[in-house]
Amino acid sequence: MIPLDLSLADVPSLPVHAARLLAKEGVKTVADVVWHLPFRHEDRRHMQAMAFQAGPLPSCHHVLVTKTGNKFFGGRSGVFEAVVRHATGLLGQQLTLKWWNMPFMSRVIAEGQELIVYGVIKDSKGRLSMSHPEYEIVKGGADDDAEQIHTGRITPIYRLKGAMTQKALRVAVWHVCQALPVSFVDDLLPTPSAEGEFAGQTRALALREVHFPSSMEKLEQSRRYLALEEFYGYQLRVARRKRRVIESGGRKQIGTGELLRDFFNELPFQLTTAQQRCLDEIHRDMASGAPMNRLLHGDVGSGKTVVAFAAMLRAVESGRQAVLMAPTQILAEQHARNARKWLEPLGLRVALRTGQTRQTSPTGQTEIVIGTHALLHDAELMHNTGIVVIDEQHKFGVAQRAKLIRKGDTPDVLVMTATPIPRTLTLTIYGDLEVSTIDQKPRDGVKIVTKVRPKTKLKDAAKFLREQIEEGRQGYIVYALIDESDKLEAGAATKGYEEWSKLLAPCEVGLLHGRMSAEEKEDVMKRFRAGKLDALVATTVIEVGIDVPNATVMFIHDAGRFGLAQLHQLRGRIGRGAHMSYCVLFVDDKDEENRQRLAIMEETSDGFQIAEEDLRRRGPGDVLGHAQSGQAPLLFGELLADTRLVRLARQLAEKTLDEDPQLLRPALATFRDEPVIAEKAQAMMQ
Ligand code: ADP
Ligand code: MG
């Protein structure tokens, strides 16, 4: 029996050199080794008894060394070669093992030894060779391992630091696993169920299996168990936070109904059934004693803004203030303008606060405050806040949201997003929120026709846009360089602006990008909105929220650079009025791959379908696979693939909170990275 904090140097039979090598890189104790998890495994179980064969895949062989020698090429370069044949084979087939620039291998590998080797075999003119194979001396070596640790099994592959080697680490893990008692750590999970998938499973067994799996099935089962544990730690936090918010006690905001009545009387349209249903859910939350914590979820153009305004009016009717935060200045200004149009006639004061503008009404409490994240730095504006609304919430960090909410006095909180989220991710990203979905668009009749076209068709497109302009419509022309600086992006748009001004002359063309001053931006938007500009050349600053119903055309340059979800957001700027709308995605002439990828945009304008296709194409492993990044906070779980586990974890977490408080503390301690996970999950959706 050895304790987890035992120094590696004291683990029985662990070679001294391995312990020393690992200690240098900070892997010093038994626990350090146990938690140094492999990021993948190689199946080296099947020894190839038959011929050596060249090919792209590595293979595993039991061989006998017949000849060794160093060859030097001058200077420091050279190769150590060991000629081997099958240890059991009858054939005289030969294979040359090669170690480049490692002359000291002559002291390790010697004639007459038996090795297990694993690697890729190459064929050069009939001569077979394997460079830098993984090997194990099974007979005749100086320190021949009685067990096969590196080969002849499902072998763990670890991420290495500094001078560490796979072999030293693997040997250490092996001896630690041998020395540890069967149950060397306590379980964190409440026993999920006596039978079923996890019957008999424990944390200690699962960890062992992850290092040295006894079968592929056991490995996967253990990964799932540890993933469940991970999700459980996360859901425990989320569920606990949700309960705390409820228990913290909010205020009932019931209102008189007068402002809302006047508002709806003035509104030029009727709410859709879906909007009404969501609004009812929101008002019900607000009227209850517990603070509201709700997500209003609806595809682009589903009409979230009016619903938000109606929620804000309920707070004002109840004698409190309403605050709305948007991610960009342009969007905040658009909201402020709507608020002035719709709410000032009801006798309400509207204040706007962005990075550049600061307009506060002169005296008394402002009922409606609208702004960007600049609000976070402005304490005086917020006063007796009854509701905080966060638009396009995916554009904000978890911390920014929390900060704004804290500024209010246990306000009701409504966050809004158009990002379509698969059900499973909802539990992770929004596990502490109630969700209302606007699943219907105000004008289902209006269609957007989307086409993917090669760049060479630009002239035709210009002609088409001109025809639309002659009919009184407007258009957006989007330039963007993903991952490039604002400056380069602005440059591309500026160049595009010159080009399009010529192409469309004498129509009026405007330019909008992130490097312009607040006044310039607002001025351009004002002229575009008023119809004084026929077309707007812009960067992705127009991506979120902009609402100009008369715009019916959108051209997107280099559409291949965008994710489908972002294209969907961009396209959401058109098809907002009564007119048929058109979106053209330009790709490089021979870019077949992107033509295919973007085809889904031609087929559907359903954001949910597009998001699923996007995720499917990228593949869950690609998005957040634990193998991908050494820093990934999730070691075992794959948020997209392990749907069922996420749900199970939530159930277990609720159960623990209800009846098992002594499990709470250790489980919470294992999982400290909650915001990171939430941000990650969210990043997947963009
Ligand atoms: P999003 O959900 O993308 O934020 P908006 O709130 O900007 O959508 O609404 C899109 C457009 O639809 C706006 O011009 C808005 O005034 C209009 N709109 C919203 N609700 C309705 C409705 N029930 N009937 C007609 N038009 C509506
Ligand atoms: Mg919006």
Side-chain angles (χ1 to χ4, degrees):
M1 289 276 265
I2 59 168
L4 279 172
D5 58 358
L6 185 75
S7 161
L8 284 187
D10 300 327
V11 174
S13 62
L14 196 153
V16 183
H17 68 268
R20 210 178 288 146
L21 195 63
L22 296 180
K24 255 193 248 159
E25 304 304 334
V27 178
K28 295 180 175 155
T29 65
V30 165
D32 290 344
V33 164
V34 170
W35 285 108
H36 200 105
L37 298 159
F39 72 98
R40 64 183 180 89
H41 294 82
E42 279 175 4
D43 191 349
R44 303 180 181 172
R45 280 175 300 183
H46 307 293
M47 223 83 73
Q48 248 69 45
M50 302 312 284
F52 299 127
Q53 210 165 17
L57 296 176
S59 52
C60 195
H61 308 268
H62 184 184
V63 299
L64 173 73
V65 181
T66 57
K67 200 169 123 201
T68 65
N70 263 309
K71 285 184 189 162
F72 296 99
F73 307 142
R76 287 165 166 275
S77 62
V79 63
F80 171 77
E81 294 187 344
V83 180
V84 302
R85 62 175 173 79
H86 272 289
T88 48
L90 306 163
L91 298 164
Q93 203 190 12
Q94 288 193 340
L95 173 72
T96 307
L97 310 178
K98 299 186 175 196
W99 282 270
W100 301 88
N101 303 324
M102 294 170 76
F104 53 84
M105 286 304 292
S106 64
R107 278 175 270 135
V108 183
I109 306 284
E111 223 176 288
Q113 281 175 347
E114 283 182 29
L115 313 176
I116 308 261
V117 295
Y118 177 81
V120 174
I121 298 179
K122 281 203 205 105
D123 182 345
S124 84
K125 298 191 189 120
R127 301 191 46 169
L128 299 178
S129 68
M130 190 187 269
S131 286
H132 295 270
E134 287 259 352
Y135 69 95
E136 200 150 27
I137 303 167
V138 289
K139 212 156 143 196
D143 56 357
D144 49 68
D145 298 306
E147 279 100 354
Q148 284 171 26
I149 301 177
H150 312 286
T151 52
R153 62 162 57 256
I154 302 170
T155 310
I157 310 291
Y158 299 93
R159 235 168 256 288
L160 303 174
K161 261 200 313 204
M164 271 184 199
T165 64
Q166 285 295 342
K167 279 191 142 178
L169 188 55
R170 209 178 283 136
V171 164
V173 179
W174 174 264
H175 289 290
V176 161
C177 285
Q178 299 297 307
L180 280 173
V182 179
S183 53
F184 61 93
V185 280
D186 293 335
D187 290 345
L188 292 178
L189 281 173
T191 323
S193 132
E195 54 227 73
E197 184 181 354
F198 299 113
Q201 187 63 278
T202 68
R203 191 169 196 221
L205 284 177
L207 280 168
R208 265 177 210 282
E209 281 287 336
V210 161
H211 283 293
F212 289 102
S214 50
S215 68
M216 283 303 194
E217 295 70 40
K218 275 271 167 55
L219 171 61
E220 173 59 7
Q221 200 193 64
S222 302
R223 183 197 67 80
R224 288 173 60 79
Y225 180 86
L226 294 169
L228 177 64
E229 190 186 275
E230 212 164 35
F231 292 145
Y232 169 72
Y234 179 74
Q235 290 297 340
L236 208 47
R237 281 171 177 269
V238 173
R240 190 177 61 151
R241 193 175 53 212
K242 183 170 178 179
R243 287 183 187 209
R244 282 195 176 161
V245 168
I246 291 171
E247 285 156 14
S248 72
R251 269 166 245 196
K252 296 185 181 180
Q253 307 200 68
I254 296 165
T256 57
E258 280 171 36
L259 283 174
L260 276 163
R261 195 194 52 222
D262 293 349
F263 174 63
F264 285 125
N265 278 342
E266 290 306 309
L267 207 60
F269 48 77
Q270 282 221 310
L271 291 190
T272 61
T273 324
Q275 281 171 316
Q276 189 61 54
R277 175 175 40 77
C278 292
L279 183 58
D280 290 345
E281 287 165 359
I282 291 166
H283 281 167
R284 203 176 314 132
D285 280 1
M286 293 180 75
S288 88
M292 171 166 76
N293 225 350
R294 190 170 279 275
L295 168 73
L296 179 59
H297 185 203
D299 204 352
V300 284
S302 61
K304 294 183 287 295
T305 316
V306 270
V307 176
F309 279 5
M312 290 161 76
L313 284 177
R314 172 59 37 101
V316 175
E317 280 183 352
S318 312
R320 304 188 76 193
Q321 178 189 56
V323 173
L324 169 62
M325 180 163 78
T328 65
Q329 175 215 337
I330 297 179
L331 187 52
E333 271 161 2
Q334 178 178 294
H335 284 323
R337 197 177 30 262
N338 282 331
R340 295 209 172 99
K341 186 170 75 194
W342 288 335
L343 309 185
E344 274 181 356
L346 309 179
L348 305 185
R349 282 158 298 185
V350 178
L352 172 67
R353 177 82 171 96
T354 69
Q356 274 90 2
T357 21
R358 186 169 187 167
Q359 304 164 10
T360 326
S361 34
T363 52
Q365 181 190 334
T366 320
E367 290 90 357
I368 308 283
V369 174
I370 295 174
T372 60
H373 54 271
L375 284 172
L376 299 175
H377 310 291
D378 209 334
E380 314 94 81
L381 266 180
M382 284 182 66
H383 182 71
N384 189 25
T385 306
I387 186 169
V388 165
V389 180
I390 298 174
D391 192 16
E392 307 288 350
Q393 75 84 35
H394 57 282
K395 294 278 170 185
F396 291 100
V398 173
Q400 282 178 314
R401 286 199 300 267
K403 190 166 175 196
L404 185 67
I405 293 164
R406 267 202 310 277
K407 277 177 174 285
D409 165 25
T410 53
D412 284 323
V413 176
L414 181 68
V415 299
M416 307 199 285
T417 187
T419 316
I421 313 154
R423 285 298 304 158
T424 66
L425 281 180
T426 317
L427 254 192
T428 304
I429 309 179
Y430 302 119
D432 56 343
L433 301 181
E434 306 295 332
V435 180
S436 293
T437 308
I438 311 185
D439 50 7
Q440 172 189 15
K441 291 198 186 171
R443 282 167 297 251
D444 274 331
V446 182
K447 267 192 60 181
I448 304 180
V449 177
T450 301
K451 295 287 173 204
V452 182
R453 288 283 180 264
K455 270 184 190 168
T456 42
K457 298 282 183 199
L458 212 82
K459 285 256 161 59
D460 298 346
K463 183 163 163 272
F464 176 77
L465 174 54
R466 219 200 303 228
E467 285 164 14
Q468 283 283 305
I469 291 173
E470 273 159 21
E471 285 178 28
R473 305 284 84 76
Q474 293 163 284
Y476 297 100
I477 299 152
V478 182
Y479 283 86
L481 303 163
I482 302 295
D483 287 337
E484 303 276 3
S485 69
D486 260 11
K487 191 170 158 195
L488 289 175
E489 198 172 77
T494 309
K495 219 167 126 252
Y497 166 70
E498 281 156 20
E499 204 175 314
W500 281 98
S501 298
K502 282 188 206 123
L503 278 170
L504 295 177
C507 300
E508 289 291 328
V509 181
L511 172 66
L512 188 72
H513 61 69
R515 308 265 290 182
M516 290 162 51
S517 77
E519 290 81 50
E520 285 171 322
K521 275 192 252 179
E522 177 51 14
D523 182 57
V524 170
M525 275 316 293
K526 205 155 139 197
R527 288 194 295 145
F528 186 65
R529 213 176 288 116
K532 294 194 179 117
L533 295 173
D534 300 306
L536 189 59
V537 175
T539 61
T540 46
V541 291
I542 64 151
E543 181 193 348
V544 287
I546 303 272
D547 183 42
V548 180
N550 191 47
T552 55
V553 179
M554 173 169 285
F555 295 157
I556 303 178
H557 289 273
D558 289 322
R561 294 173 188 250
F562 291 95
L564 295 177
Q566 198 182 8
L567 287 173
H568 178 67
Q569 286 282 330
L570 277 167
R571 183 175 58 179
R573 300 309 113 219
I574 57 172
R576 294 184 152 246
H579 303 281
M580 182 91 170
S581 294
Y582 309 87
C583 177
V584 184
L585 307 173
F586 288 108
V587 295
D588 279 339
D589 307 351
K590 295 199 183 65
D591 189 352
E592 254 323 294
E593 201 183 318
N594 270 314
R595 287 191 83 144
Q596 276 185 24
R597 184 175 68 94
L598 300 182
I600 180 92
M601 299 292 297
E602 296 181 331
E603 284 157 30
T604 181
S605 49
D606 176 344
F608 202 85
Q609 221 174 314
I610 290 169
E612 302 241 300
E613 170 72 10
D614 208 12
L615 288 172
R616 195 183 63 72
R617 281 198 168 258
R618 287 189 290 169
D622 239 20
V623 192
L624 195 81
H626 49 94
Q628 253 59 37
S629 127
Q631 306 292 293
L634 274 179
L635 291 166
F636 302 101
E638 292 181 6
L639 286 175
L640 282 169
D642 294 328
T643 320
R644 213 170 51 74
L645 292 182
V646 173
R647 268 198 298 266
L648 178 57
R650 181 56 172 256
Q651 284 165 18
L652 293 175
E654 298 280 2
K655 195 159 159 262
T656 300
L657 288 173
D658 285 340
E659 50 195 66
D660 227 349
Q662 70 272 29
L663 264 178
L664 195 62
R665 197 164 284 279
L668 284 175
T670 55
F671 212 91
R672 297 194 197 84
D673 274 332
E674 180 199 336
V676 186
I677 296 260
E679 304 260 2
K680 271 247 164 184
Q682 214 167 281
M684 293 165 54
M685 303 311 306
Q686 282 170 25

